[in-house]
């Protein structure tokens, strides 16, 4: 239980509602900042502003998945007000006040470097990333269905990268009957891809395989789908780029060649906000219980 633990939830989207519900069930004392347009009340939760919230009383701060932008602001879909985290406010929190955020940003890193508060980047954790790969793969299936006029079954799909997202995406498309190839740079990953029933190809050979593809799904956050690869793709082929912005595709060249290329960030929050919220809520609550014990 999280009885007497004071958690400030600052900004967010539908995913935060699952976090609020879960932490409320665990009896945490919740202060919600940036939730003035949220109609439903939650037991143990109080709507606040940064001005009314006493920073010295807070044990943990939960920021949105997107963290804090370059203007030190956090997003909230439940408020029309801009929420700016001023560094003086953070400086008044306890040294042990832990900050949890989906991703880290330069401004957040700068703030933490200055004030040295414990920080957890939730999306960098394997457990969150692997659970999150499930709605990501489902969202990718949705995008491919919406943007092609053939079935996934029997289509030739190349997945670039075989990390947490690449593995789930390739399994999902294989289970739907697609002919899946996986391109990765590490030989161990290629061996694992072979073991899991997909055809491994070296990233260096991508250019030679591109002409035999209907869909290419990129999960590598680097310049991978470059012009010489796109030049070989058939004109009907689709690119879905899942890698974090700006993706790994030469979108300008794809457009010039008339190949549809879509950057698809944040799929879990779009296709399954409730599940995506529960994934964060479950991991976050275990971390808070651990923090409380220490
Ligand atoms: P990950 O587990 O780190 O996997 C990344 C893969 O890319 C690994 O196979 C890695 O290979 C490879 N890679 C990285 N840099 C490379 C390079 N320069 N050249 C060749 N291969 C390279 O990451 P993940 O969790 O799967 O996430 C992948 C991307 O998807 C991230 O950008 C993440 O932010 C994004 N994402 C998007 C969504 C969405 O909704 N669109 C959802 C979740 C995640 P090595 O092991 O050899 O480094």
């Amino acid at each position: 239980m999280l009885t007497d633990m004071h958690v400030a939830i600052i900004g967010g989207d539908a995913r935060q509602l699952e976090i609020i519900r879960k932490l409320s069930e665990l009896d945490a004392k919740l202060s919600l900042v940036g939730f003035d347009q949220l109609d439903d009340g939650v037991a143990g939760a109080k709507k606040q502003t940064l001005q009314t919230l006493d920073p010295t009383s807070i044990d943990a701060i939960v920021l949105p998945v997107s963290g804090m932008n370059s203007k030190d602001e956090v997003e909230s879909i439940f408020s029309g007000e801009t929420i700016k985290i001023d560094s003086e406010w953070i400086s008044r929190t306890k040294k042990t006040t832990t900050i949890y955020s989906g991703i880290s940003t330069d401004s957040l890193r700068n703030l933490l470097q200055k004030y040295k508060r414990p920080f957890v980047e939730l999306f960098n954790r394997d457990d969150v990333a692997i659970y999150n790969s499930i709605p990501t793969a489902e969202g990718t299936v949705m995008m491919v269905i919406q943007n092609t006029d053939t079935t996934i079954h029997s289509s030739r799909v190349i997945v670039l990268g075989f990390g947490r997202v690449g593995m789930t995406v390739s399994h999902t498309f294989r289970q739907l009957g697609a002919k899946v190839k996986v391109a990765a740079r590490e030989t161990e990953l290629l061996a694992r891809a072979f073991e899991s029933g997909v055809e491994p190809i070296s990233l260096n050979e991508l250019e030679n395989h591109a002409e035999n593809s209907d869909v290419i799904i990129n999960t590598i956050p680097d310049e991978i789908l470059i012009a010489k690869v796109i030049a070989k793709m058939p004109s009907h082929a689709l690119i879905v780029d899942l890698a974090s912005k700006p993706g790994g595709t030469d979108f300008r060249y794809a457009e010039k060649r008339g190949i549809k290329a879509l950057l698809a960030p944040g799929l879990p929050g779009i296709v399954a906000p409730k599940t995506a919220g529960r994934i964060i809520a479950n991991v976050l609550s275990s971390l808070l219980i651990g923090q409380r014990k220490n």
Side-chain angles (χ1 to χ4, degrees):
M1 297 296 283
L2 295 171
T3 309
D4 294 334
M5 189 168 198
H6 186 185
V7 182
I9 300 187
I10 307 181
D13 54 32
R15 288 171 279 191
Q16 255 64 18
L17 300 182
E18 292 301 317
I19 297 173
I20 293 167
R21 260 181 226 125
K22 177 87 183 179
L23 300 189
S24 165
E25 267 169 36
L26 291 169
D27 200 28
K29 178 182 170 190
L30 299 176
S31 291
L32 311 182
V33 178
F35 289 84
D36 38 287
Q37 292 170 359
L38 180 69
D39 293 334
D40 302 346
V42 182
K46 190 175 172 194
K47 290 181 192 170
Q48 301 250 36
T49 64
L50 282 183
Q51 289 69 42
T52 60
L53 183 57
D54 173 12
T56 62
S57 69
I58 300 169
D59 300 301
I61 295 172
V62 180
L63 296 178
V65 165
S66 54
M68 190 169 92
N69 70 17
S70 55
K71 295 179 191 157
D72 297 345
E73 294 164 356
V74 299
E75 292 172 354
S76 177
I77 63 160
F78 302 105
S79 177
E81 306 287 315
T82 304
I83 312 161
K84 191 172 167 75
I85 312 260
D86 96 70
S87 59
E88 193 271 333
W89 188 85
I90 291 286
S91 74
R92 289 193 285 132
T93 58
K94 295 180 275 198
K95 290 260 182 285
T96 52
T97 301
T98 304
I99 300 175
Y100 297 87
S101 170
I103 60 166
S104 177
T105 58
D106 287 345
S107 52
L108 203 45
R109 274 188 288 272
N110 290 342
L111 191 71
L112 291 163
Q113 210 164 27
K114 204 165 164 191
Y115 296 113
K116 307 221 172 346
R117 297 293 182 270
F119 175 62
V120 179
E121 187 181 350
L122 292 164
F123 278 30
N124 207 18
R125 293 175 53 92
D126 274 342
D127 48 8
V128 174
I130 292 169
Y131 286 126
N132 235 353
S133 71
I134 300 168
T136 305
E138 290 190 12
T140 311
V141 169
M142 176 191 80
M143 296 204 65
V144 173
I145 291 173
Q146 283 173 342
N147 290 283
T148 54
D149 51 13
T150 51
T151 55
I152 289 175
H153 191 283
S154 301
S155 63
R156 299 163 301 170
V157 175
I158 303 180
V159 178
L160 310 182
F162 202 54
R164 297 163 300 191
V165 175
M167 280 189 196
T168 310
V169 166
S170 62
H171 297 160
T172 304
F173 278 79
R174 188 176 70 83
Q175 282 156 5
L176 287 171
K179 295 170 189 152
V180 180
K181 292 180 183 175
V182 164
R185 62 179 168 189
E186 310 235 347
T187 53
E188 307 90 281
L189 289 179
L190 293 174
R192 180 59 71 195
F194 173 77
E195 176 276 327
S196 73
V198 298
E199 184 183 337
I201 58 175
S202 163
L203 260 182
N204 301 329
E205 288 167 19
L206 180 58
E207 203 182 324
N208 303 330
H209 292 269
E211 61 187 333
N212 296 314
S213 66
D214 301 306
V215 180
I216 298 189
I217 300 164
N218 178 45
T219 73
I220 299 177
D222 206 343
E223 291 169 8
I224 291 297
L225 270 173
I226 51 180
K228 67 175 183 175
V229 177
I230 297 173
K232 294 278 176 65
M233 292 174 68
S235 56
H236 73 270
L238 170 71
I239 296 171
V240 180
D241 198 333
L242 301 176
S244 48
K245 284 180 190 167
T249 304
D250 186 339
F251 287 98
R252 184 204 62 82
Y253 184 73
E255 189 178 359
K256 191 172 168 192
R257 264 222 61 208
I259 289 186
K260 196 184 259 187
L262 308 166
L263 185 62
L267 288 175
I270 296 168
V271 297
K274 203 165 189 147
T275 306
R278 280 187 193 148
I279 290 168
I280 304 170
N282 288 340
V283 173
L284 180 64
S285 52
S286 315
L287 292 172
L288 288 171
I289 289 168
Q291 181 189 331
R292 192 163 186 265
K293 283 185 188 148
N294 290 331

